[in-house]
Amino acid sequence: MIIIKIKIKNYRQFQGDQVINLQSSLDTNINIIKGSTGAGKSCIYNMIHWVLYNDDKVKSTNKESSENLLNNNIFMKLEEGDSDKVNVEIEFGSHELA
């Protein structure tokens, strides 16, 4: 089983609905995630870990920011009593080699 797609809604740096497609061709089976500092590379690892193990790996001295999975821009726009959702779905598939 391999991860072929990650669907994200409002998880940390990822605002709104986002899709990360990791599906590779039959002649390759590796993905490289490249980006500048703060782009969300570690966030992708953290969200996978959160979904699979129900454990948020981000630790900080500022508990408010480290425990809030909701995107900060979305959080700051909420009125008192309002809420929004954080959702991460991981789609698995198989990579059959000939």
Side-chain angles (χ1 to χ4, degrees), residues 18 22 31:
Q18 307 283 325
L22 298 172
N31 289 293

Side-chain angles (χ1 to χ4, degrees), residues 12-31:
R12 299 197 190 274
Q13 289 103 314
F14 297 91
Q15 184 173 339
D17 293 316
Q18 307 283 325
V19 175
I20 300 172
N21 188 357
L22 298 172
Q23 193 166 5
S24 58
S25 65
L26 289 178
D27 58 337
T28 63
N29 61 356
I30 188 169
N31 289 293

Side-chain angles (χ1 to χ4, degrees), residues 77-94:
K77 292 178 183 177
L78 292 177
E79 300 287 332
E80 187 173 334
D82 288 349
S83 64
D84 210 325
K85 293 184 179 185
V86 173
N87 189 50
V88 177
E89 296 177 28
I90 298 176
E91 185 177 324
F92 293 92
S94 62

Side-chain angles (χ1 to χ4, degrees), residues 23-86:
Q23 193 166 5
S24 58
S25 65
L26 289 178
D27 58 337
T28 63
N29 61 356
I30 188 169
N31 289 293
I32 298 172
I33 299 173
K34 177 182 172 186
S36 59
T37 302
K41 301 176 302 292
S42 295
C43 186
I44 293 169
Y45 165 76
N46 291 334
M47 78 174 68
I48 293 169
H49 194 274
W50 177 60
V51 169
L52 296 179
Y53 301 104
N54 194 29
D55 181 29
D56 182 26
K57 296 300 289 177
V58 177
K59 304 295 180 209
S60 170
T61 56
N62 181 353
K63 284 200 169 272
E64 282 184 21
S65 67
S66 69
E67 293 179 357
N68 188 9
L69 299 177
L70 181 63
N71 175 274
N72 196 48
N73 293 330
I74 301 291
F75 178 76
M76 296 304 286
K77 292 178 183 177
L78 292 177
E79 300 287 332
E80 187 173 334
D82 288 349
S83 64
D84 210 325
K85 293 184 179 185
V86 173

